[in-house]
Amino acid sequence: MSMVGLRMRGALVTTIYRKTLTVSETVLNSAFSVGEIVNFMSTDTDRIVNSCPSFHALWSIPFQLVVTLYLLYSQVGLAFLSGIAFSIILIPVNKVIANKIGKLSTKLMQEKDARVKMLTEVLRGIKAIKLYVWEQHFLRLITKLRDKELKYLKGRKYLDALCVYFWATTPVLISILTFGTYVLMGNKLTAATVFTGIALLNMLISPLNAFPWVLNGLTEAWVSIKRIQRLLDLEDLDLDLYYNESLLESSQNADIIIKHGIFHWGKELTSEEKSRLHAAQMRRLSKGKGKGKKTIVHLEHNVGEDHHLFVLSDINFTVKKGEFVGVIGSVGCGKSSLLSAILAELSIPEGEIAVSQVESGFGFATQQPWLQRGTVRDNILFGKTFEDNRYKAVLFACGLAEDIYLLPAGDLTGVGEGGMTLSGGQKARVALARAVYQDKAVYLLDDILSAVDVKVAKHIFQHCIMGLLKNKTKILCTHHVNYLVHADKIVLMEGGVIKQQGKPADVLTNIDDILPIELELGESTQSSLSSLLDSVKLDSTMEEESDSVLLQEVSETGTVELSVYGTYWKAIGHALSFIIFLAITVMQTSRNMTDWWLSRWVTNADPSGNTSQFYDDELNEGHFYAGDPEILPTSYYMKIYIELVCLNTVFTLLRAFLFAYGGIVAASKIHKLLLKSVLKLTFKGKSTFFDISPIGRILNRFSTDTYTIDDSLPFILNILLAQFFGLLGKVFSI
């Protein structure tokens, strides 16, 4: 089963990962948060994998019960039906409890998603949080989310305890019902009948104790399967439906064509975006120009229909092969959204779009660069084969030559999660170099010059955009219009529509008062190959393993240290831990006393089966009979036996709820300690911890490992203690 579980985990994680790549970003972001997707790959996957052993238990437990009950029938006859009747009564009760547990598990996972989402955002901005001393604020926010999660965890754990109580007391109650009915039917209890019956009833303990955990595990797995199924039910992005290749037939020289396109993100605008869009609309309306006036009416109509969705409206746009197009406009006017529309990341309810050679992909440099944990070279190559001359040319063109020279290990220097060990400008240039090295036919560059200074920006424009990418189709979104004098076409956007497009001289002169331009770059756009190669210095002598940023996570091996057990003991609390152990001890003691009294009953039973009316009268009056115990009436033994059974059920209930409460207390305290250690950074006070530790590794502590402490550890510990104290009870009863 371990191999099956391992394969299931790999299949689930791979399926979820592939699904996130095949679904449109618009659809994915509107349906799920980052926290939900993280939990899909961690907690939900763990629940499904952990349910693998339960599939065998689901058929083996009923089989064990049937065989045991048949053997019990052979010993006590039809008297065993009284115990069966009690078990049947418990079935609908447990079904109600299981349904309630399923509902609480669903709500629990929703709160867990919200908590993991908040933690993801906090870890991504941890440097800013520590810089502004916001640790306490976010500590309170995450603690509130954790409290909501614990609210549903408490409800589920207490229902688990109730379910366990029912099944744990079932063997004892079945025994009293079975033997009581057997005696009332006129049969005599013999040592052979009682001890064989007790042995058979003890055989019921293990499957009956395991059955609620099996049901709960399968219920949780079913909840997780339905959660993941929601993701898998999302419609995949069909590029054949999004792009209309027939548009390219009429224009063989075009790379991108958009006709009357209307695009939207499928999400509501923020209040700031609404006010900015409204202000832009009012400015255009006040001008009263024909085309702008018609456009504003059309845009307001679409926005009103879509409940203030940001809309790219009536986009007509053509880019020829090898053409350099600049896109300008104010903040929030839709420049980045236009690139996303070309990338098929937006919904297109109306209009048509076509892109040539869409199968080969795009070269895309985003406004917010993303880097993976690894070396600078790994981030630039990104799976491509290393070619020395081409690699050096890309480094030089993207202005990375001097940075590579200054880095301690050259291009083999480690890059932290999301490029945390690099500056903003370095991250932007590494991301640009990665796009350029892919050697695509079409390049979409989203404000790549904003993160660098003027000198570096000129270098990138001269040697990269107008150098290596000279013969490529390029769309550059930027606020630096002074570079766009060399563009073949400029598109001016405002409020989600194309206000004007044409040659630089036609477009830039209309906004000369608002956006002054420089028509001279001051540097030649020509460069020789020799200067490219000579200016780049690479250091290939250092190994990646020597970089602290790329160190692997250290895992303990061998025996678990006592300090780990001590930490969990302290998390529960000394007093509560002692009370839990005391409750387990008393429960097992009462169980042993019940078995002992039953054996005494059989041993001292009257062989003739007759009882004296005097003894009955004495018992009815509550008098203690001090005569020969061998001739005590059956009702006396039955009464004491019932009292001991009731006492055992009380201690069992107490033990179940105390154990559930202790697990909740431990889960709450350990999460608080973990959260404080991360936010307050007790790791020797060094903030470099977040530079060398991937966010995924830290999130695993708050998702998968927290789930282990919340659910798996109490479950395993409960079984361990029950079996251990049961073994001790058997040893001392010999």
Side-chain angles (χ1 to χ4, degrees), residues 445-660:
L445 309 175
D446 190 2
D447 207 9
I448 59 173
L449 304 178
S450 61
V452 296
D453 57 38
V454 176
K455 180 180 178 181
V456 176
K458 287 184 178 181
H459 177 92
I460 292 174
F461 185 82
Q462 175 183 347
H463 297 288
C464 180
I465 298 176
M466 302 302 295
L468 289 182
L469 304 180
K470 183 177 182 180
N471 298 321
K472 306 288 186 180
T473 302
K474 305 172 290 295
I475 300 178
L476 173 65
C477 296
T478 183
H479 295 285
H480 300 275
V481 296
N482 51 325
Y483 298 114
L484 299 183
V485 67
H486 297 280
D488 299 305
K489 180 193 295 185
I490 292 181
V491 175
L492 173 61
M493 298 199 67
E494 186 175 333
V497 297
I498 296 179
K499 184 178 180 181
Q500 189 177 0
Q501 58 180 314
K503 295 291 183 180
D506 299 332
V507 177
L508 295 180
T509 53
N510 291 338
I511 57 171
D512 187 55
D513 296 335
I514 303 175
L515 299 172
I517 62 171
E518 298 176 5
L519 298 179
E520 297 294 335
L521 290 176
E523 291 185 21
S524 172
T525 59
Q526 302 296 324
S527 59
S528 63
L529 182 60
S530 59
S531 65
L532 293 176
L533 301 178
D534 295 340
S535 61
V536 178
K537 298 181 180 179
L538 301 178
D539 186 357
S540 302
T541 59
M542 295 189 65
E543 297 182 356
E544 296 182 14
E545 288 77 6
S546 63
D547 198 322
S548 61
V549 177
L550 304 179
L551 292 178
Q552 297 296 321
E553 183 178 9
V554 178
S555 300
E556 294 287 344
T557 57
T559 307
V560 179
E561 296 182 0
L562 291 177
S563 59
V564 178
Y565 299 103
T567 300
Y568 194 71
W569 176 281
K570 292 177 182 177
I572 298 175
H574 297 294
L576 183 57
S577 298
F578 177 77
I579 293 173
I580 291 173
F581 272 91
L582 181 62
I584 297 175
T585 304
V586 173
M587 183 201 73
Q588 187 61 45
T589 302
S590 64
R591 179 63 189 274
N592 285 6
M593 289 181 63
T594 303
D595 294 339
W596 171 79
W597 184 256
L598 186 60
S599 64
R600 179 182 173 85
W601 179 3
V602 174
T603 304
N604 298 329
D606 183 9
S608 63
N610 298 323
T611 56
S612 172
Q613 183 65 36
F614 169 77
Y615 299 142
D616 289 339
D617 294 339
E618 290 294 308
L619 286 171
N620 291 334
E621 295 175 5
H623 297 162
F624 177 75
Y625 179 70
D628 189 353
E630 294 185 357
I631 57 175
L632 287 175
T634 301
S635 58
Y636 173 75
Y637 288 104
M638 180 68 74
K639 177 183 176 183
I640 301 298
Y641 185 60
I642 292 175
E643 290 175 352
L644 289 174
V645 168
C646 293
L647 192 64
N648 176 257
T649 58
V650 171
F651 288 137
T652 302
L653 181 65
L654 183 64
R655 169 249 179 184
F657 276 87
L658 280 175
F659 203 93

Side-chain angles (χ1 to χ4, degrees), residues 12-13 15-21 23-45 109-110 112-114 116-117 120 124 227-228 230-232 234 699-700 703-704:
L12 285 170
V13 172
T15 301
I16 294 170
Y17 175 69
R18 286 181 176 176
K19 188 64 179 182
T20 58
L21 297 181
V23 176
S24 170
E25 182 183 2
T26 306
V27 176
L28 186 64
N29 291 340
S30 61
F32 300 100
S33 65
V34 176
E36 286 180 288
I37 297 175
V38 170
N39 276 330
F40 289 159
M41 290 190 175
S42 55
T43 306
D44 289 303
T45 299
M109 292 306 300
Q110 291 174 353
K112 189 184 292 289
D113 292 339
V116 175
K117 177 185 177 183
T120 304
R124 285 177 176 173
R227 281 165 50 83
I228 295 177
R230 287 173 48 227
L231 172 65
L232 300 181
L234 294 179
L699 281 178
N700 272 335
S703 55
T704 304

Side-chain angles (χ1 to χ4, degrees), residues 191-343:
T193 302
V194 170
F195 289 118
T196 304
I198 290 176
L200 292 173
L201 290 172
N202 286 336
M203 290 175 61
L204 294 175
I205 294 177
S206 179
L208 288 177
N209 282 340
F211 200 62
W213 297 108
V214 171
L215 289 179
N216 294 342
L218 292 176
T219 301
E220 292 177 354
W222 179 245
V223 170
S224 295
I225 288 174
K226 290 194 295 184
R227 281 165 50 83
I228 295 177
Q229 188 62 44
R230 287 173 48 227
L231 172 65
L232 300 181
D233 287 339
L234 294 179
E235 185 178 357
D236 290 342
L237 175 62
D238 191 342
L239 296 181
D240 293 332
L241 293 177
Y242 190 88
Y243 297 110
N244 184 7
E245 295 183 359
S246 61
L247 290 178
L248 297 172
E249 296 176 359
S250 59
S251 181
Q252 298 293 334
N253 196 36
D255 264 337
I256 301 172
I257 299 176
I258 304 177
K259 287 188 176 181
H260 306 292
I262 296 179
F263 305 90
H264 64 79
W265 284 101
K267 63 179 182 179
E268 291 193 10
L269 294 173
T270 63
S271 57
E272 182 182 354
E273 290 171 336
K274 289 177 183 177
S275 60
R276 190 164 57 232
L277 180 60
H278 179 69
Q281 292 172 351
M282 292 302 295
R283 285 197 302 270
R284 294 212 312 274
L285 187 61
S286 62
K287 293 179 181 179
K289 295 182 179 179
K291 185 177 180 180
K293 190 172 182 179
K294 291 179 182 178
T295 304
I296 185 64
V297 173
H298 181 65
L299 180 60
E300 285 180 341
H301 174 71
N302 281 281
V303 171
E305 286 182 350
D306 292 329
H307 305 288
H308 298 290
L309 295 177
F310 183 79
V311 178
L312 293 179
S313 182
D314 197 22
I315 303 297
N316 290 280
F317 185 52
T318 301
V319 181
K320 297 180 180 179
K321 293 183 182 296
E323 199 170 36
F324 175 26
V325 178
V327 182
I328 59 176
S330 59
V331 176
C333 66
K335 300 188 298 296
S336 299
S337 297
L338 179 62
L339 298 186
S340 297
I342 297 173
L343 290 168

